[in-house]
C-alpha cells in the first residue's frame, strides 16, 4: 500500500513553513545587526565622552609629579633670563626651596606647599605656565637694549593695579585715612626708592605676570594696611609665596584645629577662650573691611576654608579671589533681573527693582551678616555648646547671632559709599557679649599665660 502524500493545502502549508524558516533567521539577523550597530555606536560615544571627561578632570588633577614639572619649567624660564624674582635663586640654584606637596588645582590655579629656608610657605599661581600670561605690550615697541625707567614702571603698574581692583581713577592719589587707593603710591614709591637701576625685561615680565593675578594684587596692595590678609613673602616669575597658616575646615566643629595650634604655641588657653578670641577677631575683620579703607571691601565667598588664624588668633583671609572693593562690587551687582534671585553673586546680594528690571548696585547684606550665618550660627549653636547652652550670656549670644544672620541691615544710608555696612548696632552687641564671655573665662581661672606670637620680618625685595 502506497503512502498517501499531502494534499494541495498541506503542500502549501509545508512550503510556507519552509519559507518562514528560511526568511526568519535572515530577518532576525538584519534586525540583530542593526541593534548591535546601535549599541556599538552608543558605547563608542559613551566611552569617548568618558575619556574626554577623564582627561579634563585629570588635566587639572593635583599630583606631585606635575607640580614638580611646573616648578622645573619655571626654573628653565629663570635660567633663560625670561623670569626672575627674589625667590628664584633659592628655588632654582641654591635648593633652599623644598617641595613638600601639591595642595590643589582649581580652574587653572596651582597651589603648592613648600619650605623656604626652613619656613613653611604656600606657592600660588593663577595659571600654570609663565608664557600663559599676557606680556607687557610696551615691550613689543621698545628697543630690547633699552630698559624702562622706574617712573614708567610705576605708571603702568599703578594703572594695572587700579584696573584689577576696580578703583576709581579720581581717587587714585587720595591721601589720608590709610585708604586702599592711597596705598598704591606708597607701595610702588617704596619699590622705586629701593631700586637703584632700571628694570630689566625679565623683571618687567615677571611683575606683569603677577599683576594679572587679582589675588596677588589684592594681597600686595593691603600688605602693610591690614593684619587680616595673608602676607606675601616673595616671588619667582608668575609664582608668589604667602605665609603658611592653619586654615579652617568645614568638618571641624571649631573650624580651626585649636588643639594642634595650642600645642604648637605652648598655650594654656582653653578651647572655649580661644573660640571667643577668634570670634572677636572675625568681628574686628568685618569692621576693618567695612570702615578702614577708602572703599568698603566685600567678601563674596565666606567659608571656613578661606580663612586661617595666626598664632595670636588673628583671623586672616587667605583666599581672596572673590573679594572686591565697593566700585567693582557695584559693577558686578548692576545687572538685569526678573527677581531677587537674579541679584545674588555668591555670598553678595542685592534686590531687584521690578519696575526697572535691574538689580540694585548696592549690596543688601554684609560681611558680618554672612559670617553670622555661615560661621557663628554653627559655632554657637546649642548642640555644640552642650550644657553651657542654657547660660544667660550664651542664650543672649545665640539670639544676637540669629538676629545678625537674618536681618538685612548690612547697608544703611550714610555718606560713605552709600552705606555703613556691617550693622553698627549688632556689631557692638556681639562684641559686648563676646567680651563679657571672655572675662568670665578669665574669672573662672581657665586662662593661660600671655600668647607668644612669633613675628617674621621679610626684608627681600617683593614684586
Amino acid at each position: 500500500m502506497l503512502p498517501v502524500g499531502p494534499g494541495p493545502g498541506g503542500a502549501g502549508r509545508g512550503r510556507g513553513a519552509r519559507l518562514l524558516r528560511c526568511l526568519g533567521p535572515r530577518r532576525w539577523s538584519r534586525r540583530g545587526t542593526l541593534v548591535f550597530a546601535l549599541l556599538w555606536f552608543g558605547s563608542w560615544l559613551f566611552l569617548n565622552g568618558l575619556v574626554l571627561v577623564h582627561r579634563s578632570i585629570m588635566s587639572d588633577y593635583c599630583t606631585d609629579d606635575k607640580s614638580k614639572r611646573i616648578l622645573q619649567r619655571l626654573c628653565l624660564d629663570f635660567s633663560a633670563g625670561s623670569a626672575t624674582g627674589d625667590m628664584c635663586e633659592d628655588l632654582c640654584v641654591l635648593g633652599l626651596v623644598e617641595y613638600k606637596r601639591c595642595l590643589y588645582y582649581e580652574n587653572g590655579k596651582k597651589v603648592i606647599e613648600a619650605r623656604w629656608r626652613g619656613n613653611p610657605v604656600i606657592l600660588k599661581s593663577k595659571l600654570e605656565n609663565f608664557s600663559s600670561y599676557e606680556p607687557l605690550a610696551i615691550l613689543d615697541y621698545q628697543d630690547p637694549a633699552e630698559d624702562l625707567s622706574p617712573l614708567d614702571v610705576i605708571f603702568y603698574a599703578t594703572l594695572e593695579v587700579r584696573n584689577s581692583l576696580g578703583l576709581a581713577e579720581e581717587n587714585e592719589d587720595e591721601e589720608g585715612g590709610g585708604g586702599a587707593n592711597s596705598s598704591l603710591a606708597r607701595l610702588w614709591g617704596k619699590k622705586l626708592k629701593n631700586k637703584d637701576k632700571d628694570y630689566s625685561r625679565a623683571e618687567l615680565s615677571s611683575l606683569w605676570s603677577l599683576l594679572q593675578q587679582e589675588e596677588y594684587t589684592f594681597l600686595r596692595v593691603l600688605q602693610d594696611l591690614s593684619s587680616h590678609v595673608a602676607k606675601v613673602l616673595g616671588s619667582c616669575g608668575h609664582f608668589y609665596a604667602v605665609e603658611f597658616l592653619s586654615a579652617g575646615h568645614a568638618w571641624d566643629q571649631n573650624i580651626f584645629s585649636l588643639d594642634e595650634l595650642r600645642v604648637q604655641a605652648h598655650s594654656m588657653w582653653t578651647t572655649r577662650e580661644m573660640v571667643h578670641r577668634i570670634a572677636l577677631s572675625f568681628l574686628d575683620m568685618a569692621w576693618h573691611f567695612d570702615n578702614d579703607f577708602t572703599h568698603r571691601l566685600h567678601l563674596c565667598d565666606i567659608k571656613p576654608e578661606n580663612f586661617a588664624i595666626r598664632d595670636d588668633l588673628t583671623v586672616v583671609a587667605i583666599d581672596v579671589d572673590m573679594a572686591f572693593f565697593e566700585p567693582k562690587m557695584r559693577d558686578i551687582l548692576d545687572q538685569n533681573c526678573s527677581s531677587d534671585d537674579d541679584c545674588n553673586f555668591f555670598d553678595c546680594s542685592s534686590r531687584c527693582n521690578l519696575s526697572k528690571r535691574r538689580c540694585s548696585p548696592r549690596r543688601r547684606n554684609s560681611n558680618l551678616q554672612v559670617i553670622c550665618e555661615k560661621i557663628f550660627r554653627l559655632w554657637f549653636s546649642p548642640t555644640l555648646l552642650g550644657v553651657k547652652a542654657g547660660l544667660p550670656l550664651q542664650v543672649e549670644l545665640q539670639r544676637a547671632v540669629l538676629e545678625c544672620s537674618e536681618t538685612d541691615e548690612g547697608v544703611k544710608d550714610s555718606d560713605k559709599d552709600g552705606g555703613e555696612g556691617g550693622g553698627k548696632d549688632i556689631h557692638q552687641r556681639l562684641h559686648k557679649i563676646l567680651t563679657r564671655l571672655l572675662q568670665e573665662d578669665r574669672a573662672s581661672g581657665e586662662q593661660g599665660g600671655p600668647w607668644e606670637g612669633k613675628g617674621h620680618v621679610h626684608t627681600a625685595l617683593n614684586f
Side-chain angles (χ1 to χ4, degrees):
M1 182 174 168
L2 296 175
V4 178
R13 285 193 296 270
R15 287 194 298 270
R18 286 195 297 270
L19 182 60
L20 286 176
R21 285 196 297 270
C22 293
L23 293 179
R26 293 180 183 176
R27 182 179 301 173
W28 172 252
S29 177
R30 288 196 298 271
R31 185 182 300 157
T33 302
L34 179 60
V35 171
F36 176 78
L38 291 175
L39 288 175
W40 181 87
F41 182 69
S43 300
W44 181 82
L45 286 178
F46 174 77
L47 290 175
N48 276 272
L50 191 62
V51 169
L52 289 175
V53 172
H54 177 74
R55 286 179 178 175
S56 64
I57 294 176
M58 293 301 292
S59 65
D60 213 31
Y61 185 71
C62 187
T63 66
D64 289 334
D65 288 340
K66 185 172 182 179
S67 298
K68 291 178 180 178
R69 288 196 299 270
I70 292 173
L71 295 180
Q72 288 172 356
R73 287 197 296 271
L74 174 60
C75 287
L76 289 176
D77 291 327
F78 171 66
S79 301
S82 302
T84 189
D86 59 353
M87 191 175 64
C88 286
E89 188 171 357
D90 284 355
L91 173 66
C92 305
V93 180
L94 302 178
L96 296 178
V97 178
E98 178 187 359
Y99 175 89
K100 298 299 292 185
R101 63 190 176 112
C102 174
L103 292 181
Y104 67 88
Y105 297 164
E106 183 177 358
N107 298 325
K109 184 177 181 179
K110 313 300 178 187
V111 182
I112 298 170
E113 180 183 344
R115 293 188 72 85
W116 184 13
R117 294 181 177 266
N119 297 313
V121 296
I122 302 296
L123 304 179
K124 290 186 172 185
S125 177
K126 185 177 180 179
L127 300 176
E128 180 174 320
N129 298 314
F130 184 65
S131 59
S132 299
Y133 290 90
E134 292 290 333
L136 180 57
I138 194 173
L139 294 179
D140 296 334
Y141 304 99
Q142 186 187 21
D143 186 344
E146 297 180 358
D147 293 326
L148 281 178
S149 70
L151 285 176
D152 290 331
V153 174
I154 296 298
F155 174 74
Y156 289 112
T158 301
L159 289 179
E160 183 66 18
V161 169
R162 188 173 60 206
N163 179 68
S164 175
L165 299 181
L167 299 175
E169 183 174 357
E170 59 270 18
N171 294 325
E172 180 60 46
D173 295 324
E174 288 182 3
E175 294 293 339
N181 292 354
S182 62
S183 70
L184 297 179
R186 293 200 303 271
L187 169 65
W188 302 112
K190 183 178 179 181
K191 185 173 177 62
L192 172 63
K193 185 177 180 180
N194 294 332
K195 187 71 174 178
D196 56 0
K197 62 179 181 179
D198 292 341
Y199 287 86
S200 67
R201 297 177 73 87
E203 286 179 312
L204 287 173
S205 299
S206 299
L207 174 61
W208 213 246
S209 69
L210 292 170
L211 291 180
Q212 292 175 57
Q213 304 180 57
E214 292 83 359
E215 183 178 71
Y216 170 85
T217 303
F218 176 90
L219 294 175
R220 198 64 189 87
V221 166
L222 296 185
Q223 195 78 130
D224 301 321
L225 300 176
S226 177
S227 62
H228 290 290
V229 297
K231 300 296 183 183
V232 179
L233 305 177
S235 65
C236 179
H238 58 304
F239 269 90
Y240 58 97
V242 298
E243 60 181 324
F244 182 92
L245 297 170
S246 178
H249 303 284
W251 46 262
D252 193 325
Q253 68 177 18
N254 290 321
I255 298 179
F256 304 105
S257 301
L258 301 182
D259 291 337
E260 180 182 345
L261 183 64
R262 186 189 295 110
V263 171
Q264 292 175 351
H266 308 288
S267 170
M268 297 298 292
W269 287 350
T270 64
T271 298
R272 180 184 175 185
E273 186 174 1
M274 293 171 75
V275 167
H276 292 155
R277 288 181 178 273
I278 295 172
L280 283 169
S281 186
F282 266 114
L283 291 180
D284 179 70
M285 181 187 67
W287 182 262
H288 173 54
F289 286 170
D290 279 341
N291 298 279
D292 292 345
F293 303 129
T294 304
H295 298 294
R296 188 183 307 114
L297 179 61
H298 299 274
L299 303 178
C300 293
D301 190 13
I302 294 178
K303 57 186 179 183
E305 296 87 343
N306 288 346
F307 297 97
I309 50 174
R310 295 195 180 97
D311 288 350
D312 61 357
L313 299 185
T314 298
V315 173
V316 179
I318 58 174
D319 192 332
V320 290
D321 285 332
M322 300 292 290
F324 308 100
F325 285 109
E326 182 71 21
K328 196 165 186 176
M329 186 78 263
R330 286 175 171 262
D331 288 340
I332 292 173
L333 292 177
D334 188 12
Q335 58 184 329
N336 295 327
C337 64
S338 58
S339 68
D340 287 346
D341 292 338
D342 297 329
C343 301
N344 295 332
F345 182 77
F346 295 88
D347 289 329
C348 297
S349 62
S350 67
R351 295 193 182 279
C352 179
N353 187 326
L354 295 178
S355 62
K356 297 181 180 179
R357 291 192 170 274
R358 195 77 178 172
C359 295
S360 170
R362 180 181 299 179
R363 183 182 176 187
R364 70 182 175 94
N365 62 352
S366 68
N367 293 332
L368 178 60
Q369 182 180 352
V370 182
I371 289 172
C372 286
E373 179 183 355
K374 289 195 168 185
I375 296 178
F376 286 180
R377 274 187 85 167
L378 300 177
W379 223 351
F380 301 117
S381 67
T383 303
L384 293 183
L385 290 173
V387 295
K388 296 181 180 292
L391 298 178
L393 268 182
Q394 294 290 356
V395 173
E396 187 177 352
L397 177 60
Q398 293 167 37
R399 289 174 178 171
V401 168
L402 184 62
E403 179 183 339
C404 172
S405 62
E406 293 184 347
T407 305
D408 286 342
E409 292 187 72
V411 178
K412 296 181 180 180
D413 292 335
S414 77
D415 294 329
K416 181 181 177 181
D417 287 331
E420 289 181 356
K424 182 177 179 180
D425 293 341
I426 191 64
H427 182 280
Q428 291 179 346
R429 183 178 166 193
L430 286 168
H431 191 279
K432 181 179 179 180
I433 297 172
L434 287 168
T435 301
R436 290 170 60 191
L437 284 169
L438 195 57
Q439 291 171 348
E440 281 191 356
D441 294 337
R442 293 173 179 173
S444 64
E446 294 180 342
Q447 81 278 11
W451 192 273
E452 296 293 334
K454 298 181 180 179
H456 173 75
V457 179
H458 179 66
T459 58
L461 178 64
N462 287 326
F463 282 149

